[in-house]
Amino acid sequence: MGGRKRTVKSHFGELADGTKIHSWSLVNGGTRMEVLSYGGIVRSLEIPDRRGHYANVSLGFDTIEDYVSSSPYFGALIGRYGNRIGNGRFTLDGKPYQVDVNDGGSSLHGSAQGFDKRVWDIEPFTQGADVGLYLYYTSVDGEMGYPGTLKVKVTYTLTKHGDWRIDYEATTDKTTVVNLTSHVYWNLAGEGSGTIEDHELQIAASRYTPTDSGLIPTGELAKVSGTPFDFRKAKPIGRDIRAAHPQLITAKGFDHNWVLDKGITAQPAHIATLRDPSSGRTLKMATNEPGLQFYSGNFLDGTLTGPGGRTYRQGDALCLETQHFPDSPNHASFPSTVLKPGQTYRTTTVHSFDC
């Protein structure tokens, strides 16, 4: 993909208290991205199809008001804890903690005022042939019930090849838990174009974490073999999504964490490929994280309208959230999400596009 690199800042809107929200437009390697200072939100991400025609493949809104009032985490940075913590409770060093709950009695994506609702400080950068943004946020001790002042730096990079790389870093002054991720809703045919059930998905995972009725992991690492959760070979998302499997019935589709075969790695390794046969657009993902949450847009209900003027209905997009496992603080057998003073939390995810 070709494309001249550039970064442009503009005014996007204001919050009710008068805080100005800015938009940053980045172009490099044929990929075009727009990022908001509110929530670190990727408002749009445009890539070409096999004929060179561009489309925005990320769901979003036209106004800051819609993001504040209605967004189901469209394009947002998620923290302090991506995914769910059962009952919003966990214990660290023998001390119990109760964080704010916002999802049927549990905590989802850092609670109702998580990182997706915070204003981030943003600095643009150019490094060799790459362009990008540094995003900064400090979560004070006790925010949403979490211990420790957490200093977070997230780097969005568009490479000369058009890849979108995310590097997460965080430090704390008290023992805490942290699990950061990105919540882009993908439709490689273009936002507002309809269902993603014909998209072909491959996930390099032989196991997944089944959940209870509240979508909290039971602690089991179940084999995908012989179940609708087997994406080890690419298949259309719609092939098994309506199978009479108890886990699919409970979640109204796919909304589960896959246990990546590679485990935690020092460097990002390939873990998933998503392809839209109609356009030829392909997304390949690499990460050093041990888990991937695949959510098939089950709760999009037609009440939200995107920038293209079309409503978003069930199954009109999907999320692929690289992460540690949901509810890890309450499962000693899961990879730990504990961060201690003197340590630095670091994870990386790379999105590569092709057509």
Side-chain angles (χ1 to χ4, degrees), residues 142-331:
E143 186 172 84
M144 307 307 292
Y146 286 88
T149 294
L150 191 76
K151 295 184 177 180
V152 182
K153 176 185 177 183
V154 179
T155 305
Y156 288 170
T157 304
L158 281 188
T159 74
K160 64 180 180 180
H161 303 295
D163 296 347
W164 171 35
R165 178 183 173 115
I166 311 176
D167 292 287
Y168 305 88
E169 298 178 36
T171 58
T172 183
D173 60 359
K174 291 182 183 178
T175 300
T176 191
V177 294
V178 61
N179 190 29
L180 307 181
T181 192
S182 171
H183 210 292
V184 170
Y185 281 70
W186 300 97
N187 186 320
L188 297 183
E191 67 84 24
S193 64
T195 182
I196 46 80
E197 290 190 10
D198 57 349
H199 281 38
E200 297 167 352
L201 178 64
Q202 177 268 333
I203 304 174
S206 303
R207 295 173 295 167
Y208 76 105
T209 51
T211 65
D212 62 18
S213 59
L215 302 182
I216 304 298
T218 62
E220 179 187 6
L221 304 182
K223 293 181 179 179
V224 302
S225 180
T227 77
F229 295 84
D230 192 348
F231 284 89
R232 289 174 295 176
K233 293 183 179 179
K235 68 177 180 180
I237 289 168
R239 176 178 295 175
D240 298 321
I241 199 169
R242 288 174 176 78
H245 189 287
Q247 288 289 308
L248 292 178
I249 293 169
T250 297
K252 298 181 171 59
F254 296 106
D255 192 2
H256 296 78
N257 169 67
W258 269 253
V259 180
L260 300 173
D261 288 341
K262 69 172 189 63
I264 298 173
T265 47
Q267 298 297 324
H270 176 261
I271 52 99
T273 300
L274 180 69
R275 180 177 181 270
D276 170 40
S278 64
S279 67
R281 294 187 184 95
T282 300
L283 164 65
K284 294 182 179 180
M285 296 182 67
T287 189
N288 53 9
E289 289 275 37
L292 178 72
Q293 184 82 9
F294 164 37
Y295 167 58
S296 54
N298 313 328
F299 297 102
L300 297 173
D301 60 4
T303 61
L304 306 177
T305 302
R310 296 190 177 185
T311 59
Y312 298 144
R313 300 184 182 276
Q314 187 180 53
D316 279 357
L318 63 96
C319 300
L320 297 169
E321 304 154 60
T322 55
Q323 58 175 17
H324 271 54
F325 303 169
D327 202 35
S328 287
N330 295 310
H331 296 275

Side-chain angles (χ1 to χ4, degrees), residues 19-36:
T19 300
K20 289 180 170 56
I21 302 302
H22 293 99
S23 166
W24 294 87
S25 296
L26 293 78
V27 177
N28 203 17
T31 298
R32 306 167 181 168
M33 175 186 288
E34 182 182 358
V35 177
L36 303 182

Side-chain angles (χ1 to χ4, degrees), residues 332-353:
S333 62
F334 286 3
S336 176
T337 54
V338 174
L339 182 68
K340 296 179 177 292
Q343 298 177 336
T344 300
Y345 170 98
R346 288 190 177 94
T347 73
T348 297
T349 295
V350 181
H351 307 79
S352 300
F353 306 104

